[in-house]
Amino acid sequence: MRHRLKDVAERAGVSVKTVSNVVNGYLHVRPDTRARVEEAIAELNYRPNLSARHLRKGRTGVIALAVPELDIPYFAELARHIVTAAAEYGWTVLIDQTGGRREQERVVASGITDHLVDGLILSPLALTAEDLASLDGTPMVLLGERVEHGPADRVVIDNVTAAREITDHLIRLGRRRIAAIGAQRTDEGASARLRLAGYTEALRAAGLAYDEALVASAPAWHRADGAAAMRGLLTTGVRPDAVFCFNDTLALGALRALHEAGLRVPEDVAVVGFDDIEDGRFSVPTLSTVAPDKEQIARLAVELLANHLDGDRAAPARALKAPYRLELRESTGL
């Protein structure tokens, strides 16, 4: 039997309005009254009717998360945190995969289907600030560095500083021929450009020359791309003694290629990644990496979207930075 507000009110000896105030988190309820209502809620196992609540507000109670690729572990882990953060608002999350394709990103940025979702959290690769400004779609929050000075709030991390710090870690270990895997020269490669910039800054600060032969491109950031890039670097004749991979899946591929070549990690070649995916904590050796605070990224994105839905939609767009840390493990000897 599903209990109603009226049942809770009768059990607590208060009005239905008082129960509604407690359920909806209103502050102006006496502590002893709130305690009686909460006790009655627990005894009856009462669950609010979220559908009715959303309908009263003219909403569906559904938001969307759109990411380039669900088989990239970083996005899968981030999605889990966003689902958890959204649940605190009573939201269900619809998850879509855009493939980084402009038309698919336009579809989700336009609201997917009329009245299907209340808001969107989007990690764009192809859309520009001009594209987004031309759309009259659903309220949204952006993830990542692709769109600067756009019309929507966004959550980022400091990719340049993080890349510089992880490269500097390799330099302080005494490594001098430090390769980079993951460079992308396309418009969609915003994160790649920032991480390459941080890598270059670290080399310059240490008095090390930038060597184009040590920078390997990767059309995608999958394990196979990391393995192929690592094999290519090993044939250049300037064998690296360390490698900064622009994400952890590239690094896992690089580890495999180094193993196949009979090279030891970290004794012969130290390897670092970026993203701190769970696989890196169980690879052999375990992977040193930059660890963005994915839980905080998710929480900030959901909070920004909630503020946008409940507040002033004409407010200037903001960019919030989430923290990160270095996780130093066996692949660099720590």
Side-chain angles (χ1 to χ4, degrees), residues 284-313:
V284 180
T286 54
L287 182 63
S288 293
T289 187
V290 174
D293 190 335
K294 292 186 279 289
E295 182 176 0
Q296 182 68 356
I297 291 171
R299 187 168 296 281
L300 287 173
V302 170
E303 287 177 357
L304 284 171
L305 190 57
N307 291 339
H308 191 46
L309 290 171
D310 292 333
D312 181 9
R313 298 190 180 188

Side-chain angles (χ1 to χ4, degrees), residues 107 110-117:
V107 168
S110 298
I112 304 178
T113 300
D114 286 346
H115 310 301
L116 179 60
V117 299

Side-chain angles (χ1 to χ4, degrees), residues 263-281:
L263 295 171
R264 300 167 301 163
V265 177
E267 293 84 355
D268 299 318
V269 183
V271 178
V272 298
F274 203 115
D275 285 346
D276 190 31
I277 64 172
E278 187 176 15
D279 289 355
R281 299 166 214 166

Side-chain angles (χ1 to χ4, degrees), residues 1 21 25 55 57-58 63 65 91 95 115 154 161 196 226 254 267 289 310 312-313:
M1 174 182 175
N21 287 342
L55 286 172
K57 292 183 177 182
I63 66 168
L65 167 66
W91 294 344
I95 300 175
H115 310 301
R154 60 194 181 104
T161 302
L196 182 63
E267 293 84 355
T289 187
D310 292 333
D312 181 9
R313 298 190 180 188

Side-chain angles (χ1 to χ4, degrees), residues 185-303:
R185 270 77 180 186
T186 62
D187 290 342
E188 293 82 4
S191 295
R193 288 193 296 275
L194 294 173
R195 292 173 194 182
L196 182 63
Y199 160 83
T200 305
E201 287 182 10
L203 296 180
R204 185 185 305 118
L208 299 176
Y210 174 87
D211 185 350
E212 188 69 33
L214 288 172
V215 178
S217 297
W221 284 2
H222 299 159
R223 295 167 182 83
D225 299 282
M230 189 71 251
R231 293 186 191 108
L233 286 168
L234 294 176
T235 65
T236 62
V238 186
R239 196 186 82 189
D241 58 12
V243 184
F244 168 32
C245 298
F246 289 1
N247 80 345
D248 284 355
T249 48
L250 288 170
L252 293 173
L255 287 175
R256 179 65 190 182
L258 289 166
H259 174 74
E260 291 171 350
L263 295 171
R264 300 167 301 163
V265 177
E267 293 84 355
D268 299 318
V269 183
V271 178
V272 298
F274 203 115
D275 285 346
D276 190 31
I277 64 172
E278 187 176 15
D279 289 355
R281 299 166 214 166
F282 294 92
S283 60
V284 180
T286 54
L287 182 63
S288 293
T289 187
V290 174
D293 190 335
K294 292 186 279 289
E295 182 176 0
Q296 182 68 356
I297 291 171
R299 187 168 296 281
L300 287 173
V302 170
E303 287 177 357

